[in-house]
Amino acid sequence: RFKLYAGLCGGTRHGHRGSEEELNDFSSKSQMEHAGWSFSWNDEYVFKPDTTLFAVQVPTSSYWGFSYSGHGEISLQLTGEGAVVVHFGNAACTGLDCPLRTFYSDRQELDLSGSVTVLLNGIEIHSAGLNTLVTQAIVRFVDGDRLSLRQSPHAVLVLHALELFCGDICERCPTGSQCDRGGDSARPCAPYADGYHCRLPGIASPCPPGERCWMQDDQWYFTTPITTPCHKPAPLCADGWTVKPSGCYALSTLPLDYD
């Protein structure tokens, strides 16, 4: 099971905050659309077509689908700021016993070399080639960015889960170091593709054992994983707000709009 830290980071979609169950619920196309996913096509192969042909080894809890004409794409608009780990794959296979060869037997070409690509705002981040059932891409995002997964001809798009790591006010770096907050101490620790960047307290500070340090702007840094928990408690919150490890929260009495 993949752990999802928050549905949508610090924002709302039509007044409704996404949940773990919604964002990773691939039980139906309509459910995915309700959670915020958009599909660029709509044919008989758009949602979990015949498992024996297209997803022999894919878990039934995952999503798979493809556009028969090629270049199908699913996308999700992200809110807030943080990092997302996309667990995805490509169920297209090779070899003489590949079921897809039977499916595409009516076509002259049998070049089953398609790929599935993760994109952010149209920029390619990482791709999965043939026989790649599980791989991952780590993407840093800000409010309004659009995450997409695109299938090229002869590929089968597979999405297993998303992990979202939202920006918060806690310190992610070990004691004695401070996380990079993008030049503003009031901002959350900035999540990069390789994790959080931890700044050592001084130019003469030794690099922590087992870490690889590098210098930028006359400061020494090392990296800690994106899954690193808080090392310091959140500060006191304003009146009427509740303190939690990841920040300050307040309950809203306003009605939710699900339209």
Side-chain angles (χ1 to χ4, degrees):
R1 174 178 171 79
F2 295 102
K3 183 178 182 181
L4 185 69
Y5 282 79
L8 300 173
C9 293
T12 59
R13 180 178 56 81
H14 302 305
H16 175 59
R17 185 175 177 84
S19 68
E20 175 179 359
E21 290 75 18
E22 286 182 318
L23 205 58
N24 281 326
D25 183 352
F26 308 128
S27 57
S28 69
K29 181 172 179 284
S30 61
Q31 169 58 41
M32 291 180 65
E33 290 172 328
H34 173 75
W37 290 102
S38 297
F39 294 77
S40 69
W41 82 105
N42 188 25
D43 61 21
E44 61 184 302
Y45 308 107
V46 69
F47 184 81
K48 297 189 178 183
D50 189 349
T51 303
T52 60
L53 283 177
F54 309 111
V56 176
Q57 300 181 58
V58 177
T60 56
S61 58
S62 301
Y63 163 80
W64 68 89
F66 67 97
S67 169
Y68 184 76
S69 60
H71 305 293
E73 183 171 310
I74 63 173
S75 61
L76 176 73
Q77 184 170 344
L78 302 166
T79 63
E81 183 176 351
V84 58
V85 183
V86 186
H87 299 269
F88 73 108
N90 179 3
C93 54
T94 57
L96 297 177
D97 58 345
C98 175
L100 286 180
R101 289 187 172 273
T102 301
F103 177 73
Y104 285 118
S105 61
D106 60 327
R107 295 193 175 191
Q108 293 298 317
E109 78 283 356
L110 284 175
D111 177 20
L112 304 183
S113 59
S115 61
V116 174
T117 303
V118 172
L119 308 95
L120 186 72
N121 300 328
I123 299 175
E124 296 185 5
I125 305 297
H126 185 52
S127 294
L130 296 174
N131 299 313
T132 307
L133 289 176
V134 181
T135 187
Q136 68 178 36
I138 302 176
V139 184
R140 182 183 177 185
F141 68 90
V142 295
D143 192 60
D145 282 348
R146 180 162 289 276
L147 175 72
S148 303
L149 289 93
R150 180 181 299 164
Q151 158 253 331
S152 67
H154 300 149
V156 178
L157 192 161
V158 177
L159 175 60
H160 299 291
L162 296 184
E163 288 182 278
L164 277 143
F165 299 89
C166 300
D168 54 42
I169 58 178
C170 75
E171 178 60 66
R172 299 285 178 173
C173 291
T175 303
S177 60
Q178 292 182 324
C179 67
D180 172 27
R181 297 179 183 266
D184 185 348
S185 61
R187 292 173 61 86
C189 293
Y192 293 91
D194 56 348
Y196 296 107
H197 292 177
C198 301
R199 184 176 65 252
L200 294 176
I203 190 68
S205 300
C207 188
E211 300 291 352
R212 181 185 64 84
C213 294
W214 74 94
M215 180 170 283
Q216 180 176 334
D217 298 329
D218 298 324
Q219 296 282 346
W220 284 104
Y221 290 86
F222 65 96
T223 301
T224 192
I226 198 74
T227 53
T228 302
C230 285
H231 285 278
K232 296 179 181 178
L236 293 177
C237 299
D239 291 342
W241 291 71
T242 301
V243 180
K244 291 189 176 182
S246 56
C248 301
Y249 291 82
L251 292 176
S252 173
T253 57
L254 297 175
L256 294 177
D257 179 10
Y258 289 93
D259 295 332

